[in-house]
């Protein structure tokens, strides 16, 4: 069920209406339970609309992790209790706790490997190992469940937090299932932590007009980013990268190729942050505050700064549950560098089962490590850092967009194939011979709706960013006084109605 569809809008309105139609309070003790069950059923339905049979996977994850967390707590680890290995800790109980944690990790990561990485493993084996051993693999082809990387990490973080004694194990499996499946952020995050989200879902929220307004404004901004900016930018990006993949890179000028890389960087930012805006907005209407997932990442002054601003929930997840678990920087600089590279390798692999994604993550990791001396220098002109970082981010995102290394290498070679600028020639000779150009989409010299949507959308977004001076507040409609707030609301709404592209294209991060 796509967020930017009438079906979802009607679904969300119906769920919100039913949610607040049920009274809560001391005189209606059943009301809070009914509301939680309502949201749980709605969340399961939201996921089942995609493929009902894959609902069994998320229910299995919930059942295993809920049970293992209860076992972990039962075997001697309660919130605030003695740490493992200290006097008074039972050795057998600690062994059982480790086994329970291992079962949870093995089950969750095993499902993730089977459905997301099995084909990748087969392809790599047949390309590298099979020619030497003469034993190619022919493994079953499984469809990737939507959002499996997100809900798996969210569920895993809960089990690990229970094991570490940060939170008590949830007593109600229904409440835990709601934490894992809460539909606004189920398929593409933000990846929430149990200490932040669970207490909010347990509260009996009363209708709040301020929450409704703030949520609606945030949803409008998300729709604006997706329908007006991301999908229109995608028209040009797809034209260029599809042309390169089809072997038509010689028809494209270096300027067009560079612009396609820049456009994709903006496309994926607007697409993913647009989804996060909608998710945060819907949750806000229910009285739930999800964590911010972006903080003006394209204004970052370094790769280190970029990852503090981009996909914040995933970055913090890897830092807390992988980097610190590996030892962080406590065991010396060399090991810290290795740990950083491992984290970025896994981050790239998390994003997709392809070596281009792994290379994208490793490139970020290498840049992260190499620029450390730069970060220690007193920088008088932060825009130099912003320009350098933006150039690196664009270059790395071309790896993210390319379907394979061959396409990416052709793209890079095309950039350095300097010759006379041919953009105007493309515009003039587009009658049917140049369907793979940034300026020539679907045999039209200029795709007018897409070009208009991009230009007007970027103008609105730029003015908005300047007015609010960027940052997280620059991403949130509704912080200003009433007149300004409603003005921006009207601007976004008109832009969506007049310029929005509603082609049924899903959010980019749905594939992860």
């Amino acid at each position: 069920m796509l967020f930017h569809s009438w079906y979802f809008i009607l679904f969300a309105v119906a769920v919100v209406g039913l949610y607040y139609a049920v009274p809560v309070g001391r005189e209606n003790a059943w009301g809070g339970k009914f509301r939680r069950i309502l949201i749980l059923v709605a969340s399961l339905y939201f996921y089942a609309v995609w493929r009902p049979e894959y609902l069994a996977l998320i229910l299995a994850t919930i059942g295993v992790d809920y049970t293992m967390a209860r076992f972990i707590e039962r075997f001697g680890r309660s919130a605030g209790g003695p740490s493992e290995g200290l006097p008074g800790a039972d050795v057998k109980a600690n062994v059982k706790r480790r086994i329970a944690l291992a079962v949870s990790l093995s089950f969750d990561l095993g499902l993730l490997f089977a459905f997301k990485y099995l084909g990748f493993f087969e392809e790599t084996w047949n390309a590298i190992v099979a020619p030497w051993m003469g034993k190619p693999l022919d493994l079953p082809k499984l469809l990737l469940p939507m959002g499996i990387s997100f809900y798996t990490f969210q569920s895993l973080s809960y089990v690990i937090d229970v094991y570490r004694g940060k939170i008590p194990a949830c007593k109600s499996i229904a409440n835990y299932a709601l934490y894992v499946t809460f539909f606004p952020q189920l398929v593409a995050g933000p990846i929430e932590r149990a200490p932040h989200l669970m207490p909010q879902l347990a509260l009996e929220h009363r209708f709040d007009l301020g929450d409704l307004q703030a949520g609606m404004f945030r949803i409008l901004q998300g729709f604006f980013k997706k329908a007006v900016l991301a999908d229109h930018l995608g028209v040009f990006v797809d034209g260029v990268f599809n042309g390169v993949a089809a072997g038509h890179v010689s028809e494209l000028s270096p300027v067009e190729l560079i612009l396609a890389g820049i456009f994709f960087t903006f496309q994926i930012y607007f697409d993913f942050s647009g989804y996060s805006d909608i998710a945060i907005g819907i949750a806000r209407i229910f009285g739930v505050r999800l964590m911010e997932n972006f903080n003006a990442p394209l204004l970052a002054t370094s790769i280190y700064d970029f990852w503090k601003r981009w996909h914040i929930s995933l970055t913090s997840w890897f830092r807390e549950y992988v980097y610190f678990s590996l030892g962080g920087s406590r065991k010396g600089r060399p090991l810290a560098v290795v740990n950083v590279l491992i984290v970025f390798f896994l981050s790239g692999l998390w994003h997709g089962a392809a070596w281009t994604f792994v290379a994208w993550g490793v490139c970020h990791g290498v840049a992260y490590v190499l620029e450390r001396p730069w970060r220690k220098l007193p920088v008088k002109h932060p825009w130099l850092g912003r320009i350098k970082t933006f150039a690196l981010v664009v270059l790395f995102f071309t790896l993210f967009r390319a379907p394979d290394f061959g396409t990416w290498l052709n793209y890079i070679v095309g950039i350095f194939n300097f010759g006379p600028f041919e953009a105007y020639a493309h515009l003039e000779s587009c009658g049917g011979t140049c369907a793979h150009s940034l300026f020539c989409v679907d045999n039209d010299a200029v795709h007018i709706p897409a070009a208009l949507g991009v230009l007007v959308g970027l103008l609105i977004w730029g003015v908005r960013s300047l007015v609010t001076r960027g940052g997280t507040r620059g991403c949130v409609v509704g912080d200003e006084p009433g007149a300004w707030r409603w003005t921006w609301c009207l601007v976004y709404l008109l832009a969506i109605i007049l310029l929005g592209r509603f082609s049924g294209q899903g959010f980019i991060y749905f594939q992860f």
Side-chain angles (χ1 to χ4, degrees), residues 203-474:
L203 294 176
E204 297 180 350
H205 299 280
R206 297 182 181 276
F207 177 79
D208 185 279
L209 184 61
D211 282 343
L212 176 64
Q213 291 179 345
M216 289 300 300
F217 294 149
R218 195 68 183 267
I219 292 169
L220 271 178
Q221 179 169 265
F223 279 132
F224 169 78
K225 287 181 177 179
K226 172 62 175 174
V228 178
L229 286 166
D231 285 357
H232 282 316
L233 285 166
V235 171
F236 298 105
V237 173
D238 291 345
V240 170
F241 278 92
N242 290 343
V244 175
H248 299 283
V249 68
S250 60
E251 300 177 15
L252 297 159
S253 71
V255 174
E256 288 175 305
L257 293 169
I258 293 171
L259 284 175
I262 295 173
F263 282 7
F264 177 68
T265 301
F266 279 98
Q267 178 196 0
I268 195 170
Y269 166 67
F270 287 126
D271 188 280
F272 193 16
S273 66
Y275 175 92
S276 295
D277 284 340
I278 297 171
I280 292 169
I282 296 171
R284 182 69 178 269
I285 293 175
F286 289 109
V288 175
R289 268 73 164 175
L290 298 181
M291 68 180 296
E292 293 292 340
N293 216 14
F294 293 88
N295 183 6
L298 300 185
L299 295 179
T301 56
S302 65
I303 295 296
Y304 170 81
D305 189 33
F306 175 80
W307 282 101
K308 289 173 61 178
R309 298 163 173 261
W310 174 273
H311 203 174
I312 298 169
S313 63
L314 180 68
T315 303
S316 59
W317 196 99
F318 273 111
R319 182 179 64 249
E320 184 170 349
Y321 299 107
V322 179
Y323 180 72
F324 290 152
S325 297
L326 291 172
S329 59
R330 298 190 301 271
K331 298 181 180 180
R333 176 65 182 165
L335 189 57
V337 169
V338 172
N339 292 340
V340 166
L341 294 178
I342 290 174
V343 166
F344 277 102
F345 173 87
L346 294 175
S347 176
L349 192 61
W350 179 91
H351 279 83
W355 286 111
T356 50
F357 291 109
V358 173
W360 172 78
V362 171
C363 285
H364 272 280
V366 172
Y368 185 99
V369 171
L370 293 180
E371 73 173 11
R372 192 166 187 264
W374 171 287
R375 297 201 304 268
K376 292 184 177 181
L377 295 175
V379 180
K380 295 182 179 180
H381 303 287
W383 279 102
L384 294 176
R386 291 191 175 102
I387 293 171
K388 179 265 297 181
T389 303
F390 183 76
L392 287 175
V393 168
V394 170
L395 175 62
F396 297 158
F397 265 133
T398 59
L399 264 171
F400 197 99
R401 177 58 180 81
D404 51 61
F405 278 120
T407 300
W408 184 75
L409 289 173
N410 287 335
Y411 172 87
I412 296 299
V413 169
I415 288 178
F416 292 98
N417 184 24
F418 288 106
F421 179 60
E422 298 176 353
Y424 294 105
H426 287 320
L427 288 172
E428 294 172 0
S429 63
C430 211
T433 61
C434 177
H436 303 288
S437 169
L438 182 69
F439 301 95
C440 189
V441 181
D442 299 329
N443 291 326
D444 293 328
V446 178
H447 197 286
I448 300 300
L452 185 61
V454 169
L455 291 174
V456 176
L458 287 177
L459 177 63
I460 294 172
W461 178 70
V463 172
R464 170 75 183 161
S465 298
L466 288 174
V467 169
T468 56
R469 298 182 182 180
T472 302
R473 287 179 61 86

